[in-house]
Amino acid sequence: MTQSLSPRVEAVFWFLLTATGYFLLASLSLHATKGADNIAAVWPPSGYFLALLLLMPSHARARLSAFAGMASASFAANLWGGVPPLSCIAYTLANACEAAVALWLIRRREVGELSFMVPRAVAGFCLAALGASVVSAAVAWALVEGLTGASADFFLSWLTTVLLGMLIVTPPIVMLARMIGTKAMDNASRAMKAEAAAILTLSGLVTIAAFSQSEFPLTFLPCMAVVAAAYRLGPFGAAAGMLIVTIITSLMTGQGYGPIAAIEEASKVKVLFLQFYLLSLLFTTLPLAAMLIVRQRLAKRLEQSNRWLLQAEAAALVGHWRVDLVGWSIRWSDQAYRIHGLVPGTPVDVNYSVEQYIAEDGVAVRKILEQAVRTGEPFEFQGRIRRADGEIRHVKSHGSIETGRGGRAIAIFGTVQDVTEIVENARILEAARSAAERVANTDMLTGLPNRRHTLAFLEKALEGAREHGAPLAVAIFDIDHFKRINDTHGHAMGDRVIHRVGQRAKAALRDEDMLGRIGGEEFVCILQRASAQAAEIVAERVRKAVETGTAAEDGLPQATVSIGLAVFDGELDIEELLHRADQALYAAKRDGRNRLRMAA
């Protein structure tokens, strides 16, 4: 509110605001205590000055002006109240030390604004006020004791009065000023303002009713009123209600009214009991209000987190569930119900949730959960459930075991995710991959393995034969006079002949053998676990199958094949073995074709 003022005008503003308020509060307090042997229960100027120090700008000019205003007002009020000049100076110095120490202690713990909405900050403020009060009482007692011989009771009286002044007066002033500065009061509805006014008015009326008579000990009524204010209005309600109760109880007790004034003890005992009463009320309501604010904030955060969780679960098709092993009950989130095809809130039990898995998956799920309960280890499983509408869905669950005292399992918490689309996409991708692999490894004309796949298969077979001593043979054959067939009948007929030769040769092989086309009219037979004699029999069967098979086909020209056979003899690579078979093939061609020759 002073940001638009020049530094000099601002300094004058804080001087006048401090001096005026401090003088009025000090004068009223001194006047109110005349009837109680000059013993005050609360010293409001201390709280007022500390509130201004917390609200004003942090630069030195404003604070120096405020301290000057406080010193002038303190000296004048005490002098006007009949206090000797030297004692006025001592009181002023003590009050100045008290404010400086309190501000220093608060700023050490709170770098920014002191918030009465946070329990930790409230506790720090109380400790700072207590420390400052001890210092102030020690300074006042030391100075006054030298002047008038003050007793130890003076130290205790000073400490409690200025402590209550700061604890009771500072919070409502600070909170009210910040509410005005942030226009929080303007944003409040009329109903809220009316409720706040009614609650605080009721607090005052209840306190007047309780302390205007001494026949019944009704000191608990103001406590109830302030607690209600704290519950409905938060820290400001607690602080404002506390201030109202303090003003009324101090004035009425000082004038001899109320249950505390009726105590048959000395005045200082009555004051100490009143201070104890106010402190008890203060330390009950102010922390309670701060904790209520924290609870409200946590409740809002929890509500927001739950809302985000439900949105995230719906977007990811993930729900959560919890099984209470003690009460043997289960709780599902809304998305868990939807995954199972149920309306959220439909009654379900533990057995129902497991019985939704199809038979073979349900057995596995039970075993996994039972093992998790025994070991306490996290678990994961995937299975198929039959929804309420009969649809089969794939779901995946992750979970963990909650343990109680002694490590005993008390609950199972888990998530459930509908992974049907993921499973289906994986199946489609696998089918596509398999199809692509088949295309990449298949000769398109004959449907047989192509050159790349055939040589890779031979590489593995040769490795097995070399490591385990398994028999292995390779037969290479091609179609005799294939160029003549192409030239005479055309390439289309030549392709048909190649296809038919491949099919006839494949039909003549054993199940463990492999036939591949490695180029043009050339084929390779890989004969696994075949001795030389068995390999020769199989290769000859291939030759005869081609010769007789193609001759019987209508419209196809006669075709025969020449075969070169090589049996594995410790070759280091497939090139050596294929080379030996190829040399045998050339020998078969030289000897007249349509025959089989064994490599040396």
Side-chain angles (χ1 to χ4, degrees):
M1 65 185 163
T2 61
Q3 290 181 349
S4 60
L5 302 178
S6 66
R8 179 170 305 209
V9 175
E10 184 180 22
V12 173
F13 169 81
W14 286 111
F15 176 87
L16 294 176
L17 184 64
T18 304
T20 303
Y22 198 100
F23 179 81
L24 290 175
L25 290 173
S27 299
L28 288 173
S29 298
L30 291 172
H31 176 74
T33 59
K34 290 298 183 181
D37 297 333
N38 295 326
I39 301 176
V42 182
W43 186 246
S46 297
Y48 172 77
F49 184 42
L50 179 58
L52 293 185
L53 292 176
L54 293 174
L55 291 170
M56 70 176 56
S58 59
H59 54 75
R61 184 190 291 267
R63 287 181 178 171
L64 288 175
S65 299
F67 271 97
M70 169 264 164
S72 302
S74 175
F75 183 85
N78 281 288
L79 188 64
W80 186 54
V83 179
L86 291 179
S87 295
C88 291
I89 296 174
Y91 294 166
T92 300
L93 288 175
N95 288 136
C97 291
E98 150 203 315
V101 171
L103 181 64
W104 178 73
L105 290 175
I106 291 172
R107 291 305 180 205
R108 283 196 62 185
R109 293 177 58 90
E110 302 292 334
V111 179
E113 286 188 347
L114 173 65
S115 174
F116 292 98
M117 308 289 185
V118 181
R120 179 188 58 82
V122 172
F125 167 74
C126 293
L127 291 175
L130 177 61
S133 300
V134 171
V135 171
S136 175
V139 171
W141 183 81
L143 294 175
V144 175
E145 196 273 340
L147 296 173
T148 63
S151 65
D153 290 341
F154 176 85
F155 175 86
L156 181 60
S157 175
W158 185 283
L159 187 152
T160 53
T161 53
V162 297
L163 175 61
L164 280 170
M166 287 186 285
L167 292 179
I168 294 175
V169 177
T170 301
I173 294 177
V174 171
M175 285 188 279
L176 181 61
R178 286 176 181 168
M179 289 169 63
I180 295 173
T182 58
K183 298 183 179 181
M185 295 185 67
D186 296 339
N187 297 331
S189 64
R190 290 184 178 180
M192 293 177 62
K193 293 178 181 178
E195 181 184 11
I199 290 175
L200 295 178
T201 302
L202 182 62
S203 300
L205 294 176
V206 167
T207 306
I208 292 174
F211 278 81
S212 62
Q213 53 82 43
S214 58
E215 186 176 357
F216 301 103
L218 301 178
T219 53
F220 62 91
L221 291 179
C223 299
M224 296 172 61
V226 177
V227 169
Y231 184 78
R232 294 296 300 167
L233 306 179
F236 174 73
M242 189 68 220
L243 180 60
I244 291 172
V245 170
T246 300
I247 293 173
I248 294 174
T249 55
S250 298
L251 289 175
M252 299 194 78
T253 301
Q255 298 303 316
Y257 297 102
I260 295 178
I263 298 174
E264 295 182 358
E265 293 289 344
S267 296
K268 64 179 181 179
V269 175
K270 298 177 183 180
V271 171
L272 285 175
F273 186 84
L274 176 60
Q275 291 173 336
F276 172 76
Y277 172 76
L278 294 175
L279 281 174
S280 300
L281 183 56
L282 176 70
F283 288 136
T284 300
T285 56
L286 200 57
L288 171 64
M291 286 188 287
L292 287 173
I293 290 294
V294 172
R295 191 192 69 170
Q296 292 174 1
R297 290 175 178 173
L298 290 176
K300 288 183 179 179
R301 291 178 184 175
L302 180 60
E303 180 183 358
Q304 186 180 54
S305 297
N306 286 335
R307 186 167 59 251
W308 288 346
L309 175 61
L310 293 177
Q311 292 173 349
E313 285 187 349
L317 299 180
V318 176
H320 66 269
W321 51 269
R322 183 179 184 274
V323 175
D324 183 351
L325 297 176
V326 179
W328 197 241
S329 61
I330 190 169
R331 193 168 66 235
W332 284 357
S333 68
D334 289 353
Q335 188 59 31
Y337 279 103
R338 297 188 187 100
I339 290 173
H340 286 78
L342 296 173
V343 177
T346 302
V348 294
D349 56 26
V350 179
N351 293 327
Y352 175 86
S353 62
V354 178
E355 289 169 356
Q356 298 316 294
Y357 287 89
I358 63 174
E360 55 267 33
D361 291 349
V363 173
V365 168
R366 287 183 185 275
K367 289 182 178 179
I368 291 172
L369 292 176
E370 289 172 359
Q371 182 180 4
V373 172
R374 285 196 308 270
T375 63
E377 296 294 326
F379 59 87
E380 174 184 341
F381 58 82
Q382 182 170 321
R384 293 158 293 172
I385 62 170
R386 188 181 303 276
R387 288 163 40 109
D389 55 9
E391 183 182 359
I392 301 295
R393 305 292 290 182
H394 294 263
V395 297
K396 187 174 185 178
S397 285
H398 296 81
S400 58
I401 303 299
E402 297 179 19
T403 58
R405 293 180 179 178
R408 176 172 170 267
I410 59 173
I412 310 174
F413 178 83
T415 60
V416 57
Q417 181 182 12
D418 189 331
V419 294
T420 304
E421 292 186 6
I422 297 174
V423 172
E424 290 299 320
N425 290 338
R427 185 185 61 78
I428 294 172
L429 288 175
E430 178 61 24
R433 187 195 65 78
S434 298
E437 186 176 351
R438 284 196 301 272
V439 170
N441 293 330
T442 302
D443 175 60
M444 301 307 295
L445 176 59
T446 62
L448 298 172
N450 59 16
R451 179 184 182 86
R452 183 178 69 87
H453 185 46
T454 301
L455 296 181
F457 186 87
L458 179 57
E459 187 76 52
K460 292 182 179 179
L462 183 66
E463 183 179 346
R466 189 165 47 241
E467 293 181 357
H468 307 295
L472 176 66
V474 174
I476 298 180
F477 67 86
D478 63 9
I479 303 173
D480 296 330
H481 302 296
F482 183 72
K483 185 176 183 303
R484 184 186 302 169
I485 294 174
N486 269 342
D487 293 343
T488 303
H489 302 281
H491 287 283
M493 185 61 73
D495 288 346
R496 290 181 61 193
V497 170
I498 291 175
H499 180 269
R500 180 54 62 189
V501 167
Q503 295 304 311
R504 290 297 180 183
K506 181 180 179 182
L509 295 176
R510 304 169 303 171
D511 292 340
E512 62 264 36
D513 300 331
M514 177 182 177
L515 174 65
R517 182 185 177 209
I518 60 175
E521 73 278 15
E522 191 171 19
F523 298 80
V524 169
C525 293
I526 302 172
L527 310 174
Q528 299 188 96
R529 293 180 293 279
S531 63
Q533 183 179 2
E536 189 173 3
I537 292 173
V538 173
E540 180 60 22
R541 189 164 65 232
V542 168
R543 187 193 66 77
K544 289 182 178 180
V546 172
E547 181 181 18
T548 59
T550 56
E553 293 291 335
D554 294 336
L556 284 178
Q558 176 71 40
T560 60
V561 295
S562 299
I563 303 176
L565 179 63
V567 177
F568 173 67
D569 191 25
E571 284 82 6
L572 297 177
D573 52 46
I574 61 173
E575 284 76 13
E576 288 187 46
L577 186 59
L578 289 173
H579 178 71
R580 288 178 55 223
D582 202 40
Q583 292 299 316
L585 171 61
Y586 286 137
K589 288 181 176 294
R590 285 195 305 270
D591 292 344
R593 292 184 171 82
N594 191 23
R595 64 196 65 228
L596 168 66
R597 288 291 180 265
M598 178 77 75

